[in-house]
Amino acid sequence: MGTHRVIQPWRLHDLRRTFATGCARLGVPLHVVEKCLNHTSGTFHGVVAVYQRHEFMTERRSAVEVWGAFVSELVSSQAQSLVPIPTAIETTSTSVEVL
């Protein structure tokens, strides 16, 4: 058939990092990304945390929509090259072998 590829173990936190990095690449301001991730440090620490109470909901919504559109485009344009990932029932090892 084809060559086997091993998918490295990952954690949900990796998705947060991917979102933050991708949003930065798409031009979303850092303070909006931090609010989307519910960060209380970074741009919103110290005195700023005391006085800055705006939640940036409109900006956060826009950021998530931009990210969603990017992911949708990525998936639809590369659908034929995506590798299916077996469910946990289909594999018993810690790494997943994919054809």
Side-chain angles (χ1 to χ4, degrees), residues 33-77:
V33 174
E34 287 186 339
K35 282 292 188 179
C36 288
L37 296 173
N38 201 28
H39 283 177
T40 55
S41 60
T43 348
F44 295 99
H45 72 285
V47 174
V48 174
V50 173
Y51 293 108
Q52 176 52 272
R53 299 293 186 187
H54 183 59
E55 291 295 323
F56 297 94
M57 292 307 290
T58 302
E59 296 87 348
R60 290 162 68 179
R61 186 175 294 108
S62 294
V64 171
E65 287 173 356
V66 165
W67 178 248
F70 171 76
V71 171
S72 292
E73 176 62 30
L74 181 67
V75 170
S76 66
S77 68

Side-chain angles (χ1 to χ4, degrees), residues 83-99:
V83 177
I85 300 175
T87 64
I89 295 171
E90 296 174 278
T91 181
T92 55
S93 66
T94 56
S95 62
V96 178
E97 260 192 76
V98 180
L99 297 176

